[in-house]
Amino acid sequence: MNNEAKKTVFSGVQPTGKITLGNYLGAIKNWGPLQDECNCIYCVVDLRSITVAQVPADLRKNTMELLALYIACGIDPQKSTLFIQSHVPQHAELAWALDTISYIGELNRMTQFKEKSRKHAENINMGLMNYPVLMASDILLYQTDLVPVGKDQIQHLELARNLAERFNSRYSPTFVVPEGLVYKQGSSIKSLQDPTSKMSKSDPNDNAIITLSDDADTIRRKFRRAVTDSDTCVRFGEDKPAISNLLTIYSLTSGESIADAEQRFAGKGYGVFKEAVAEAVIATVEPIQQEQQRLLKDKAYLESVLKQGADTAERIASKTLAKVYRKIGFIPRVR
Ligand code: TYM
């Protein structure tokens, strides 16, 4: 397939330290397999992360670690464009233009905004509210067809679609209207301590989340402490949210189907099952961690990936932004 006929894929993760098993199973794991069929663009969304106060040195470290993690998870910089959001100024510029067609009412309704406002009541800043517009600009700048994300991003994606359609109808067709790519399995990995809420990196209870930097013993301990459902049967079902979550994690990390896993663990009890889930997760994350550590030692390589990625991204982004400015009625700068 030539590049023109390929669909464009865009996605990103915030570099806020703890990258969870939810981020991996719901998003990053699905990115690599798209690389051959699509033009993939994957971003470390650092502009987003400062909507919650960050320690600058940690942000720098987390950004490079996340870039290395993308590559360690199988994203090949020769096939995909990998870059840091703040390296491409068009993201913030398009966000401004899109701001002027976004309504306070629709941003005020965003679930994540409401949740984060509750969690960070002392810092409900404009960026926090405005953030979904920046995410829309990330997506629309690249004329994205598909956005592989977890379930919690569907509402933001809907806003990106609405803004694309609104701009297209107010001016003339300019943006591709993107589609979400949300996989049936893994799009909402739950907390190990409360299977009714999602596994979230900002969870204050460390036992609720598995991070991609947890070592084997920590992973074993966290699964051992994971809450279970009332009976002792390893079965998937709406009435068994805790075991269903563990079965999903097991299936996605071991490659075994849920039905096969139910059979394998029939009559074995939760203890044996939890051990097996922990071992499947360890076998998945350990090679990623080793590769990530190896990459982090090669700063020159990571910087070359970032340079190439930002150059490619900026070429595409500046084309879209120029088109947007022209349609709005801004006079192009004479060079
Ligand atoms: P972020 O950094 O919160 O999460 C990154 C990705 O992980 C998915 N995810 C989950 N999937 C399954 N189960 C979970 N428990 C879980 N927790 C998180 C998220 O759905 C997401 O796909 N706004 C975005 C980042 C972003 C973006 C974009 C994404 C910025 N610009 C453009 C796509 C396209 C965010 O904060 O994701």
Side-chain angles (χ1 to χ4, degrees):
M1 216 188 287
N2 69 23
N3 275 4
E4 301 283 298
K6 286 182 175 179
K7 292 203 158 165
T8 296
V9 167
F10 184 98
S11 200
V13 175
Q14 294 183 58
T16 39
K18 300 179 204 159
I19 302 300
T20 70
L21 193 60
N23 296 135
Y24 176 69
L25 297 178
I28 307 172
K29 179 179 189 281
N30 302 321
W31 297 355
L34 296 166
Q35 294 178 112
D36 290 319
E37 279 170 47
C38 305
N39 291 321
C40 294
I41 305 171
Y42 298 124
C43 177
V44 176
V45 289
D46 58 348
L47 296 176
R48 153 61 153 167
S49 62
I50 59 167
T51 55
V52 172
Q54 302 287 328
V55 177
D58 291 348
L59 180 57
R60 273 190 285 275
K61 183 166 171 279
N62 294 335
T63 300
M64 291 311 276
E65 284 183 0
L66 184 54
L67 171 73
L69 185 73
Y70 283 0
I71 304 172
C73 289
I75 294 144
D76 178 354
Q78 300 293 335
K79 294 182 182 168
S80 298
T81 299
L82 290 180
F83 75 104
I84 297 176
Q85 193 182 25
S86 64
H87 287 184
V88 180
Q90 288 80 4
H91 289 248
E93 293 175 279
L94 179 61
W96 173 253
L98 294 179
D99 262 347
T100 64
I101 59 162
S102 305
Y103 303 118
I104 289 179
E106 64 192 343
L107 296 180
N108 221 351
R109 275 198 300 276
M110 293 285 145
T111 309
Q112 273 201 351
F113 170 61
K114 287 195 271 192
E115 271 173 20
K116 295 220 172 189
S117 303
R118 231 175 289 127
K119 260 188 206 156
H120 303 277
E122 74 304 337
N123 183 21
I124 307 177
N125 58 74
M126 280 312 296
L128 202 57
M129 183 171 183
N130 211 19
Y131 168 69
V133 182
L134 179 64
M135 175 163 161
S137 109
D138 299 341
I139 296 168
L140 301 184
L141 270 179
Y142 299 93
Q143 304 293 1
T144 301
D145 299 290
L146 293 173
V147 186
V149 281
K151 243 187 208 154
D152 62 342
Q153 296 300 320
I154 291 178
Q155 197 184 30
H156 291 162
L157 197 73
E158 213 37 56
L159 179 80
R161 290 169 55 82
N162 289 342
L163 293 180
E165 280 166 354
R166 204 172 293 162
F167 191 97
N168 288 351
S169 75
R170 187 166 302 183
Y171 297 96
S172 62
T174 307
F175 296 119
V176 168
V177 180
E179 304 270 346
L181 188 57
V182 180
Y183 291 88
K184 202 164 154 242
Q185 218 185 17
S187 65
S188 190
I189 300 294
K190 306 298 185 192
S191 151
L192 297 188
Q193 293 298 316
D194 172 12
T196 60
S197 62
K198 75 161 189 177
M199 185 181 284
S200 159
K201 44 186 145 187
S202 57
D203 198 315
N205 181 352
D206 215 36
N207 284 321
I209 62 174
I210 300 285
T211 78
L212 288 205
S213 52
D214 282 346
D215 62 26
D217 283 343
T218 307
I219 294 174
R220 285 191 192 103
R221 179 171 43 80
K222 287 181 179 176
F223 279 111
R224 230 175 280 134
R225 292 186 185 166
V227 298
T228 48
D229 305 307
S230 48
D231 63 14
T232 56
C233 176
V234 178
R235 176 177 57 77
F236 194 94
E238 258 173 42
D239 56 329
K240 297 194 49 99
I243 295 303
S244 298
N245 187 42
L246 294 181
L247 271 168
T248 301
I249 293 172
Y250 176 78
S251 170
L252 287 169
T253 49
S254 68
E256 193 170 306
S257 73
I258 290 197
D260 286 352
E262 283 174 332
Q263 277 200 343
R264 174 192 301 277
F265 296 104
K268 295 234 169 88
Y270 289 155
V272 174
F273 172 55
K274 283 171 155 189
E275 294 270 320
V277 182
E279 295 312 316
V281 170
I282 292 165
T284 301
V285 303
E286 265 185 354
I288 294 175
Q289 291 171 345
Q290 282 160 10
E291 180 61 0
Q292 184 192 25
Q293 289 313 314
R294 190 190 69 75
L295 287 161
L296 282 168
K297 289 193 192 109
D298 196 348
K299 208 166 161 232
Y301 170 69
L302 292 179
E303 279 173 356
S304 74
V305 168
L306 286 180
K307 179 179 182 321
Q308 197 193 336
D311 287 348
T312 306
E314 188 165 23
R315 212 169 29 247
I316 307 167
S318 60
K319 225 165 111 185
T320 306
L321 188 70
K323 203 163 148 189
V324 168
Y325 277 12
R326 206 170 51 243
K327 301 223 180 177
I328 289 177
F330 293 162
I331 297 203
R333 180 173 160 192
V334 179
R335 295 197 184 261

